[in-house]
């Protein structure tokens, strides 16, 4: 065992430092996302979705960093990443709306001014929609119309259309006044 450690002492040291650094970065990113979610009164399920994105980012960084630490050449790593991203790019180009909706979901997490329970009006020239926001998912919003109809509205479209607040969720206002 001592022989293995002495033979790979540098690589093991880099691995420990890299893992520790990535765990700290992951902790800080999750704490920042949690703080933004709490300050903006965002539902915790949406915050957990951002946590998943942070985990994926940390895994990619870990693979890249550890590959370098264990002696993989930069050209080999770039070949692997370019091949993987080429395959992913072709797959996502075929279904580009999924990527668009995920990106829109991240943007909505940080900058969408409306909350679950708010009644909004989407000013679409073809079909204007007035509904209450029931849930905000990674790909779409769940809207409940005044007639009780459930509408699944894509996140990328909500960013493209004019949206106005008809009525703020009364439960949130009551909760603030009791504090």
């Amino acid at each position: 065992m001592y022989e293995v450690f002495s033979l790979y002492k540098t690589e093991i040291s880099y691995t420990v430092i890299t893992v520790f650094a990535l765990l700290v970065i992951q902790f800080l990113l999750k704490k920042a996302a949690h703080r933004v979610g709490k300050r903006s009164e965002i539902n915790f399920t949406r915050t957990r979705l951002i946590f998943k994105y942070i985990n994926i980012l940390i895994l990619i960084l870990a693979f890249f960093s550890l590959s370098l630490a264990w002696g993989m050449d930069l050209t080999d790593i770039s070949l692997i990443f370019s091949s993987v991203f080429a395959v992913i790019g072709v797959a996502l180009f075929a279904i580009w709306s999924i990527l668009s909706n995920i990106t829109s979901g991240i943007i909505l997490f940080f900058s969408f001014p409306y909350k679950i329970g708010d009644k909004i009006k989407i000013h679409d020239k073809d079909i204007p929609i007035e509904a209450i926001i029931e849930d905000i998912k990674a790909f779409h919003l769940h809207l409940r119309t005044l007639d009780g109809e459930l509408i699944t509205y894509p996140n990328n479209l909500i960013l493209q259309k004019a949206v106005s607040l008809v009525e703020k969720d009364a439960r949130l206002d009551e909760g603030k006044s009791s504090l």
Side-chain angles (χ1 to χ4, degrees), residues 98-126:
I98 291 177
L99 180 62
S100 173
N101 282 319
I102 289 174
T103 306
S104 299
I106 293 171
I107 293 170
L108 289 177
F109 176 79
F110 288 106
S111 66
F112 195 54
Y114 312 115
K115 309 286 183 255
I116 294 173
D118 290 351
K119 184 192 289 185
I120 61 170
K121 182 172 185 177
I122 301 171
H123 301 279
D124 188 357
K125 66 178 182 176
D126 296 330

Side-chain angles (χ1 to χ4, degrees), residues 127-145:
I127 306 171
I129 299 171
E130 187 170 330
I132 296 172
I133 301 173
E134 279 195 355
D135 201 0
I136 303 173
K137 304 271 186 191
F139 298 105
H140 53 269
L141 297 172
H142 284 178
L143 303 172
R144 182 73 61 182
T145 65

